[in-house]
Amino acid sequence: MAGTRTRAAAVAALLQEECSNLLALYREKEDFPVDVAEVRLVPVAPPSSQLDTRDKLLHLHSALLQCHTLLERAITKEDEMLGGGEKGKYEKQREMVKNRLSHLIISTGELLKAADGSPILIPHSDDPEEPFSPSHSQPRSPTVLFKLKLWIYQIYKEVDHWTKAVIATLKELPAETDRKRKRIMPATRSARITRSMRR
Amino acid sequence: MSRGSSISPSKPDRDLVWLICVLLGISGLNAQTNIVLTAPRQVSLSPNFSTQQLSVSWLGGAATTFDLIILRTEFNETVFYETVSATVNRVSGQHQWTWTSKEPLECTSLSVKICSRDGQTTSEWSETQILQGYDLPSKRDFQMYPQDRVVPVGANTTFCCIVEEGKTLKRISYGSTEMVVKNLSRRSYAVTAVNQGPSRPSGANVICQLTEINKIIGAVVFVGYPPLPTDFVCQTHDLQTSVCQWNKGRDTRMYGRRQTRYYVNGRNCTPPQRCSLPEWYGNWTLVAVNPVGQYSLTDSAELSHRVCPVAPVKLNRVVHAWNATVFWEWTSVNYSSLALVCQVELTSQGYKTKRVFSGSGLQSVVLLDLQPNENYSVQVRCGSQKNFWKWGNWSEVLPFTTKTYVPDAPDVWMWMNRDNTGLVVWKRPTPQQSHGQITGFEVTLWNAEENLQRTQSLSPDDYSLPVNLTQMASFSNDNEVIATVITQNVEGSSQPASVPLRLIDMDPPVFSRTAFTDSGFPLTWQQNASTTCSYLIEWLDASCRHDCQVEWIRVNAGSTNVSIETDTFQPGVRYNFSLYSCPSSSPLLIQRWQGYLQELVPSSSVRLSVSQQGSDAVLTWEEIPLADRRGFLLGYNVYISHGSELLPLAKLSDHGTRKYIVKDLDVGSYKFTVKAYTSAGEDTGTTVSIMMEPGSELILSILVSLGIVTLLLSIVSFICCKKRKWVKRAFYPDIPEPKLPGDWSRTRGPLDVKPSPHSMVHIVEKSEQDSFKDALVVIPEEEEDDEGQGIGDEPVDTDEPQSLRYYNQMVDERPIRPRFPDSSVSSASSMDSASTDVTYTGIQTSCSSLVFQQDPQSASEGHQPDADHSVSCGSGGGGYRPQMHPIALSDNIGLASPEPLLEPQAVSSGGYKPQNSWHIDSPTEEERNGLAPSLGSPVSVASTQFLLLDEEDHSEEKQQPPSSAATWLSNLLSSSKP
């Protein structure tokens, strides 16, 4: 598990850096001010200290999955509503973040599996507008273009937020690594969360 | 009285008519003013938020013009107030007028009032109708308008931001530019972007920020150009359907959903710039549309004028050695009767050629003039032969290789050495000449008269064959040997190529020079009218002497110039070019050239040597080998080393010069450098050094001079011997014997003259005069006679003190010998011994010298006669008169007479007094300075002239104290004393 955690931490660190770059590119591209109020789009509670390792990982894994879904929707909508020009640095960075996020989801899934949890499958759907994901409960993307831009920016912020959460959580894990198997919580709670994600 | 009353009622009747008319007119006017303007009723507002238009309709009675006022409700600001002519709906009777707002209608509430107008008369205002804005208290949201607007480049757009209730606006920016804000209402703020430029693909953002929280709201606006397509044209490929194409024209800056859409004859053309239509319409219309505008283009044509055939397919070929046939098919059956013109592009070795063929429904062509065993590739495209429109697309490339064939005859030449050996050489066949893989060469040497043949087979890698004609029997008979070469490949043997083997350049013409140019070495020659043969130009490295690998080209008959250019030319190598006529039958050398691709500085320096010739240094060097010259030598530069630098001595522009003499060098070490130079510069040079020694030249010159002097003396001696009588008469005439009046006869004998004790010279040494102890102490003989008469001013005897000084020195060391009576003997003795004896001869010579001083020749030598002497001698009456010292007469003579004694007895008894010029006393200061009067001793003169240096040296001595030269001379003479 230590190797997986290390790999996940490395991926998260990379994603955090790439996400920061993406945010900077987007602000530059859209002349957005730096101090835009954040809006939480992923309805997952942050992993509190009261949760055990598996639940923490489950929260993070779920949040990352929703971020991934949102990110895919954002990219699709942006290309559809606002794209059409030549692909540049921003588009490459955007794709890089999406791929890195997928890797982080896999890494956290492995961690979760190692912690006797059941990882959630990475959503994959041919319909980017209505992907198969827990985000079915999320509101549809805005139709007004400026709100769409703001929504995309907030999705990037959300990815950044949850990546930082992963990094912070993984730093706390080592102390519990060896004890996790002996203190496995009853699976009912995590199973409930998993079901809700799948729904 | 009754008639008068009958007339008066007529005037009142006329006034009544006038009154009635006026009243009727007034009543008519009143009837008009009684039309009352009613205020418009049922005013209604119909907003179009997307177009920012507000449509106002009302019922307005009979009025045709209305005053319309629009106010911002909250601030009661007038936005619009004009008199308008509204259109009337004849059915409903409603008036309608549409107003376009600069600001979005959502920004704030608008109040609209209308009144009817008839000229200056207006009705009452209608009731105010309010279009409610989105800044009502009931709508508390943070909003911005308009959203997602698309406008053309250069447009002005007003945006408004409605802040949340209780919040304060921080700023509104357009892109990165903060805008000037205008209040439309309490919560609504507007900004206007003027002359908007093209936006980026995702549009320009107008962002509204609040002060209190980091919340933003905004709008996106897309700014671009309307479409402007060009070059719309339609054609057919299959003679049935039509395909239309166009260019997009300028970039509209509209992307994605807002990009331009195209329609041809109403059909949506999904692939951009190209649209296929199912039939030939003859007329086409292209409509390009985007959110900010649209543009139309049309085209019309007959089908036969717009045929662009499709590309041929399924190309195939039938290949031979020299030609090939290419086939293809058409995808459209309609081409079978179509007159086509087709272009076949043939590519070989990177070179492309196009051949054109035509025919109805053309499906094959024959390609002639191909090279055997050559790789080719072809592709075909066609067009309509009638009403040619344009070429169709190229087919795919079809590669093929022609078949092999017997090779061409080789290009043969030869190189003959002077020992009748040589090389038969031929060029490597090119692929165009070999026609296949070369398997070998066959060389035959034969003689036509004796019909002797020697055949030798060579490998494909051999391109020369050494020959030795002396080993051939036919050669000894001076018959011509011919070399024949045949090339062989898998298909067979080539035609033979021949060249006669013989040394051609037995008497080579003079080389001309040719300078390399961009096109090679230009060679030009005169056309020989009698020659109908072709030419051959051969070239080789000029330094080659034996079995040279020559290169050559053949030139057609009649040519008079050619440029030689190959990759094998090297800089710094001299090439010889030779022009031959009739190279295959009877080669004749016509002209030769030499040239360099590029001249360089010589690669080696001359071999230099130096030798001394007297005071000259002779530099000699050898010629630089030809291979090392690397250019035409222009000459040599000669330098002398001065420290570390070279100073030029000479620039020898004759390259044949091999020697240079550096003249008049002093003794010492010298270094010389000689550098050869070409047009590219001089070489590094060779340096030699030489130590110039004194020597042989000076000694030789001294010996020569001594020899000449000896010869002259011998000649003079000989002449004197031959003419001794004349000499004696001239220089030593006999002294006349005195005649005595009495009987003085006695036996003749020699006069025994004893020296007088007063004749002794007394040397007085003074310690304070050490520096002059060897100097002359003289008492001039004239001192007594002419004392104080400008002695010092007479230059004649200025050299005499030297003579006297010399004698004085002699006297210092030797006693005075007795005198000889014979003057001649005395003279000879004086001459011989160089003695310091004061002799009688001296006295005689003094007088004789006076005689000769009359001789102009003697005068010319500068021996001016002393006037005092003349007087003195003259007083003697021309006869002999011995000198008498008037002062130093001894007492025993007893004569105090100043008159000189004339009688010999008196001389004898009284004692003859030879010259005694020396005082016992020390000389005066003048005498020390060399100004002492000369005693004028002729012996001294004669002796001095023999022993002393020339007159110039003499004169120097006159002005100087005894010099080193005089000292040296005295020492020399001293050493020669017996």
Side-chain angles (χ1 to χ4, degrees):
Chain A
M1 180 167 176
T4 307
R5 188 185 63 247
T6 305
R7 185 168 62 252
V11 173
L14 277 175
L15 177 59
Q16 200 272 324
E17 182 183 353
E18 290 166 358
C19 200
S20 296
N21 292 337
L22 179 62
L23 283 166
L25 286 171
Y26 195 74
R27 278 196 299 268
E28 180 186 353
K29 171 175 170 279
E30 300 295 346
D31 300 312
F32 272 18
V34 178
D35 51 352
V36 177
E38 290 192 26
V39 176
R40 292 275 75 85
L41 299 176
V42 175
V44 177
S48 67
S49 59
Q50 297 175 346
L51 297 177
D52 63 5
T53 299
R54 191 188 62 177
D55 287 348
K56 283 180 182 175
L57 290 173
L58 193 59
H59 277 234
L60 290 172
H61 188 63
S62 174
L64 291 175
L65 277 172
Q66 294 187 55
C67 283
H68 187 271
T69 303
L70 285 170
L71 188 57
E72 280 197 326
R73 288 175 61 192
I75 292 171
T76 303
K77 279 304 246 184
E78 186 177 27
D79 287 346
E80 176 190 346
M81 305 295 289
L82 301 164
E86 292 181 359
K87 304 296 182 186
K89 192 175 178 182
Y90 163 73
E91 285 78 10
K92 289 180 181 175
Q93 189 71 20
R94 189 180 64 179
E95 195 66 20
M96 189 184 295
V97 167
K98 192 185 83 169
N99 294 333
R100 192 77 65 195
L101 180 58
S102 298
H103 292 151
L104 185 58
I105 290 170
I106 292 171
S107 296
T108 53
E110 289 174 352
L111 280 174
L112 185 60
K113 190 177 179 181
D116 293 339
S118 299
I120 303 165
L121 294 175
I122 295 175
H124 182 75
S125 171
D126 294 333
D127 181 7
E129 185 65 26
E130 299 295 339
F132 173 78
S133 73
S135 63
H136 275 280
S137 58
Q138 292 176 348
R140 297 177 67 88
S141 54
T143 54
V144 174
L145 293 180
F146 188 81
K147 288 182 179 177
L148 176 64
K149 287 183 177 181
L150 205 56
W151 179 69
I152 292 168
Y153 183 68
Q154 285 164 347
I155 288 173
Y156 295 159
K157 295 281 280 187
E158 198 74 354
V159 173
D160 185 61
H161 168 78
W162 284 107
T163 304
K164 287 174 179 172
V166 169
I167 293 170
T169 303
L170 291 179
K171 281 182 180 175
E172 296 170 359
L173 281 183
E176 305 175 14
T177 302
D178 297 332
R179 292 171 291 176
K180 63 175 181 57
R181 293 177 186 272
K182 300 174 183 176
R183 296 193 295 109
I184 294 174
M185 294 283 290
T188 51
R189 187 178 178 189
S190 58
R192 185 172 64 249
I193 294 174
T194 306
R195 280 198 300 274
S196 68
M197 293 299 174
R198 284 180 174 165
R199 214 174 36 242
Chain B
M1 282 222 13
S2 56
R3 275 189 302 198
S5 60
S6 59
I7 295 172
S8 60
S10 60
K11 187 176 180 180
D13 292 341
R14 200 166 39 195
D15 294 338
L16 184 59
V17 171
W18 277 105
L19 180 62
I20 291 170
C21 290
V22 170
L23 289 173
L24 285 173
I26 291 171
S27 65
L29 287 172
N30 286 336
Q32 288 182 351
T33 55
N34 285 339
I35 299 173
V36 178
L37 289 174
T38 58
R41 295 171 290 114
Q42 297 182 15
V43 175
S44 65
L45 303 178
S46 178
N48 184 337
F49 291 101
S50 62
T51 60
Q52 297 180 187
Q53 288 181 327
L54 179 61
S55 180
V56 184
S57 61
W58 66 94
L59 291 173
T64 57
T65 58
F66 301 89
D67 286 356
L68 191 146
I69 186 168
I70 300 175
L71 305 166
R72 291 193 187 102
T73 306
E74 190 171 326
F75 286 172
N76 203 27
E77 289 176 338
T78 301
V79 182
F80 180 82
Y81 182 21
E82 283 185 11
T83 300
V84 299
S85 297
T87 58
V88 183
N89 188 323
R90 294 187 182 276
V91 177
S92 62
Q94 276 197 322
H95 298 268
Q96 187 173 7
W97 190 81
T98 301
W99 172 67
T100 302
S101 173
K102 290 182 179 177
E103 295 124 18
L105 298 176
E106 298 94 333
C107 291
T108 189
S109 299
L110 298 173
S111 300
V112 179
K113 291 190 295 186
I114 308 170
C115 69
S116 300
R117 173 175 287 276
D118 186 5
Q120 296 300 318
T121 305
T122 59
S123 69
E124 293 292 328
W125 286 103
S126 66
E127 289 185 1
T128 300
Q129 290 295 315
I130 296 176
L131 174 67
Q132 290 190 336
Y134 286 17
D135 57 344
L136 291 175
S138 59
K139 296 186 176 180
R140 306 176 63 86
D141 294 344
F142 190 20
Q143 309 158 66
M144 190 154 201
Y145 300 99
Q147 289 290 338
D148 305 340
R149 185 62 59 85
V150 182
V151 298
V153 173
N156 302 332
T157 308
T158 299
F159 299 87
C160 66
C161 175
I162 302 171
V163 301
E164 292 180 59
E165 192 68 54
K167 298 293 188 295
T168 308
L169 178 71
K170 181 180 181 181
R171 55 179 284 183
I172 301 176
S173 57
Y174 182 95
S176 58
T177 307
E178 186 171 351
M179 306 295 286
V180 177
V181 177
K182 176 187 176 184
N183 269 83
L184 299 179
S185 70
R186 185 175 52 85
R187 287 174 55 203
S188 184
Y189 301 89
V191 294
T192 301
V194 298
N195 193 22
Q196 291 168 270
S199 60
R200 56 177 171 254
S202 63
N205 295 331
V206 187
I207 297 176
C208 181
Q209 291 179 265
L210 298 180
T211 302
E212 290 83 1
I213 56 174
N214 295 330
K215 193 172 181 181
I216 63 170
I217 193 67
V220 179
V221 58
F222 298 90
V223 187
Y225 296 98
L228 192 64
T230 60
D231 305 329
F232 176 59
V233 66
C234 297
Q235 59 190 11
T236 183
H237 296 305
D238 56 5
L239 308 181
Q240 287 181 336
T241 62
S242 53
V243 177
C244 298
Q245 293 175 297
W246 60 93
N247 289 328
K248 286 197 300 183
R250 71 181 172 194
D251 183 5
T252 61
R253 311 295 286 269
M254 291 287 166
Y255 306 95
R257 289 189 161 193
R258 291 156 293 279
Q259 70 180 353
T260 304
R261 301 181 187 282
Y262 298 93
Y263 305 87
V264 176
N265 287 4
R267 179 182 293 265
N268 187 4
C269 299
T270 303
Q273 296 101 57
R274 181 182 175 88
C275 200
S276 295
L277 302 172
E279 57 184 294
W280 186 260
Y281 290 99
N283 295 297
W284 301 268
T285 300
L286 169 70
V287 178
V289 183
N290 74 5
V292 292
Q294 70 174 46
Y295 194 81
S296 297
L297 287 172
T298 60
D299 184 34
S300 60
E302 294 180 17
L303 184 145
S304 61
H305 291 197
R306 293 290 178 86
V307 176
C308 179
V310 294
V313 295
K314 296 182 181 178
L315 265 67
N316 210 334
R317 81 287 187 197
V318 174
V319 180
H320 305 285
W322 297 96
N323 60 67
T325 303
V326 177
F327 306 91
W328 64 85
E329 295 180 7
W330 294 111
T331 54
S332 173
V333 294
N334 299 324
Y335 286 4
S336 58
S337 59
L338 178 65
L340 290 168
V341 55
C342 292
Q343 215 175 34
V344 178
E345 185 179 74
L346 193 65
T347 304
S348 175
Q349 297 187 349
Y351 293 98
K352 294 186 176 184
T353 56
K354 287 188 175 70
R355 304 185 186 188
V356 177
F357 304 87
S358 61
S360 180
L362 196 63
Q363 286 187 289
S364 68
V365 294
V366 178
L367 302 174
L368 303 175
D369 301 327
L370 302 182
Q371 286 290 324
N373 193 41
E374 185 66 79
N375 295 322
Y376 290 96
S377 64
V378 293
Q379 54 181 353
V380 184
R381 65 178 181 180
C382 298
S384 175
Q385 191 174 13
K386 294 179 180 177
N387 304 313
F388 181 83
W389 164 239
K390 60 172 65 172
W391 290 111
N393 292 331
W394 284 107
S395 68
E396 291 187 350
V397 175
L398 173 70
F400 63 89
T401 303
T402 49
K403 292 186 176 178
T404 56
Y405 197 73
V406 293
D408 290 345
D411 188 356
V412 183
W413 187 234
M414 53 84 193
W415 168 263
M416 294 303 295
N417 303 311
R418 295 190 179 278
D419 58 357
N420 284 313
T421 62
L423 295 172
V424 177
V425 291
W426 57 95
K427 289 184 177 177
R428 179 194 299 267
T430 64
Q432 289 74 32
Q433 295 168 335
S434 60
H435 302 162
Q437 181 70 38
I438 296 295
T439 57
F441 298 96
E442 193 175 88
V443 182
T444 302
L445 304 181
W446 60 284
N447 177 270
E449 295 183 1
E450 298 183 3
N451 198 21
L452 293 174
Q453 289 193 358
R454 284 184 180 182
T455 301
Q456 190 169 351
S457 294
L458 300 171
S459 75
D461 299 326
D462 290 329
Y463 299 103
S464 66
L465 176 68
V467 294
N468 189 347
L469 300 185
T470 59
Q471 296 176 355
M472 298 185 68
S474 57
F475 178 75
S476 58
N477 298 330
D478 292 336
N479 292 324
E480 189 174 65
V481 176
I482 296 174
T484 299
V485 182
I486 291 173
T487 309
Q488 297 170 324
N489 71 3
V490 291
E491 294 292 329
S493 299
S494 70
Q495 292 292 318
S498 300
V499 62
L501 302 180
R502 66 183 183 201
L503 190 61
I504 298 172
D505 57 344
M506 293 303 290
D507 186 16
V510 177
F511 282 103
S512 304
R513 286 188 184 180
T514 176
F516 188 81
T517 64
D518 291 339
S519 59
F521 287 101
L523 307 179
T524 306
W525 60 92
Q526 297 291 325
Q527 169 66 20
N528 188 348
S530 62
T531 303
T532 57
C533 297
S534 62
Y535 295 100
L536 182 142
I537 294 172
E538 162 201 281
W539 65 90
L540 70 160
D541 185 342
S543 60
C544 179
R545 289 291 175 266
H546 192 271
D547 281 352
C548 300
Q549 292 297 325
V550 295
E551 294 184 72
W552 69 94
I553 62 166
R554 296 180 185 273
V555 183
N556 292 332
S559 300
T560 57
N561 64 80
V562 71
S563 278
I564 309 296
E565 162 68 336
T566 75
D567 295 334
T568 59
F569 286 136
Q570 298 293 323
V573 176
R574 181 183 293 188
Y575 292 98
N576 286 348
F577 299 89
S578 303
L579 172 69
Y580 300 92
S581 65
C582 304
S584 300
S585 56
S586 54
L588 176 63
L589 179 59
I590 298 175
Q591 197 166 339
R592 305 189 88 176
W593 298 266
Q594 283 185 327
Y596 287 89
L597 171 71
Q598 180 189 359
E599 291 195 53
L600 305 175
V601 298
S603 60
S604 68
S605 303
V606 296
R607 294 181 61 184
L608 180 64
S609 60
V610 62
S611 61
Q612 179 176 354
Q613 284 186 2
S615 61
D616 300 341
V618 180
L619 301 171
T620 55
W621 57 89
E622 297 176 2
E623 190 177 38
I624 298 176
L626 177 62
D628 294 342
R629 292 178 204 168
R630 305 202 301 174
F632 293 112
L633 286 185
L634 300 178
Y636 301 91
N637 289 329
V638 183
Y639 299 91
I640 184 169
S641 297
H642 184 75
S644 60
E645 62 177 332
L646 293 177
L647 300 178
L649 277 180
K651 185 180 183 70
L652 309 176
S653 57
D654 179 10
H655 67 276
T657 304
R658 302 280 185 275
K659 180 178 180 182
Y660 182 75
I661 300 174
V662 187
K663 294 182 175 296
D664 299 331
L665 293 173
D666 295 331
V667 172
S669 178
Y670 296 92
K671 283 185 178 179
F672 300 99
T673 300
V674 174
K675 297 181 178 182
Y677 63 93
T678 66
S679 63
E682 58 185 13
D683 62 26
T684 55
T686 304
T687 300
V688 294
S689 59
I690 185 173
M691 175 66 76
M692 296 298 289
E693 296 176 349
S696 54
E697 188 65 21
L698 180 60
I699 295 171
L700 186 64
S701 60
I702 291 173
L703 290 175
V704 169
S705 301
L706 288 175
I708 292 171
V709 169
T710 304
L711 180 62
L712 288 174
L713 286 176
S714 301
I715 293 170
V716 169
S717 300
F718 177 76
I719 292 172
C720 290
C721 183
K722 284 289 186 181
K723 300 291 184 180
R724 59 183 178 276
K725 291 182 178 179
W726 177 83
V727 170
K728 179 174 173 56
R729 191 169 57 248
F731 292 97
Y732 304 99
D734 292 336
I735 300 171
E737 188 175 348
K739 294 180 178 179
L740 300 175
D743 185 10
W744 290 84
S745 60
R746 65 175 64 179
T747 303
R748 292 178 176 259
L751 178 62
D752 186 13
V753 179
K754 294 181 179 178
S756 170
H758 297 287
S759 299
M760 295 298 290
V761 176
H762 300 276
I763 303 302
V764 179
E765 288 188 302
K766 290 185 178 181
S767 59
E768 62 273 21
Q769 294 176 343
D770 285 344
S771 60
F772 297 101
K773 66 182 180 181
D774 294 334
L776 177 65
V777 180
V778 176
I779 299 174
E781 60 185 353
E782 295 83 3
E783 192 171 355
E784 288 96 348
D785 297 337
D786 302 301
E787 189 172 2
Q789 292 184 9
I791 294 172
D793 296 332
E794 292 182 6
V796 174
D797 294 328
T798 52
D799 57 343
E800 291 302 323
Q802 295 292 340
S803 301
L804 294 173
R805 194 175 302 128
Y806 159 67
Y807 284 106
N808 192 26
Q809 290 168 345
M810 299 303 109
V811 169
D812 285 340
E813 299 176 4
R814 298 175 58 190
I816 298 175
R817 293 185 300 182
R819 283 149 178 74
F820 294 94
D822 191 336
S823 62
S824 63
V825 173
S826 172
S827 176
S829 174
S830 174
M831 293 281 285
D832 180 40
S833 63
S835 70
T836 61
D837 294 357
V838 178
T839 62
Y840 178 80
T841 305
I843 298 169
Q844 184 182 12
T845 305
S846 177
C847 279
S848 64
S849 66
L850 290 175
V851 173
F852 281 103
Q853 283 169 356
Q854 302 305 317
D855 188 350
Q857 187 175 0
S858 299
S860 67
E861 295 175 2
H863 301 284
Q864 295 297 326
D866 190 339
D868 293 337
H869 290 173
S870 301
V871 170
S872 176
C873 291
S875 62
Y880 171 70
R881 195 179 64 175
Q883 286 180 318
M884 296 293 289
H885 202 292
I887 297 174
L889 291 175
S890 61
D891 293 337
N892 55 3
I893 292 176
L895 293 173
S897 172
E899 293 296 325
L901 295 176
L902 300 175
E903 293 83 2
Q905 277 186 332
V907 174
S908 175
S909 62
Y912 169 72
K913 297 186 185 299
Q915 274 182 307
N916 185 359
S917 301
W918 295 282
H919 291 279
I920 296 176
D921 298 336
S922 62
T924 64
E925 189 64 29
E926 289 180 342
E927 291 163 352
R928 289 194 195 107
N929 293 335
L931 299 174
S934 173
L935 291 178
S937 170
V939 173
S940 301
V941 170
S943 300
T944 303
Q945 286 181 343
F946 177 71
L947 293 172
L948 294 182
L949 298 175
D950 57 16
E951 192 169 0
E952 290 180 4
D953 297 333
H954 216 160
S955 62
E956 289 177 3
E957 292 175 0
K958 283 186 277 186
Q959 297 172 0
Q960 296 174 354
S963 64
S964 61
T967 306
W968 173 82
L969 184 58
S970 72
N971 292 337
L972 179 64
L973 293 173
S974 300
S975 63
S976 63
K977 285 187 303 186

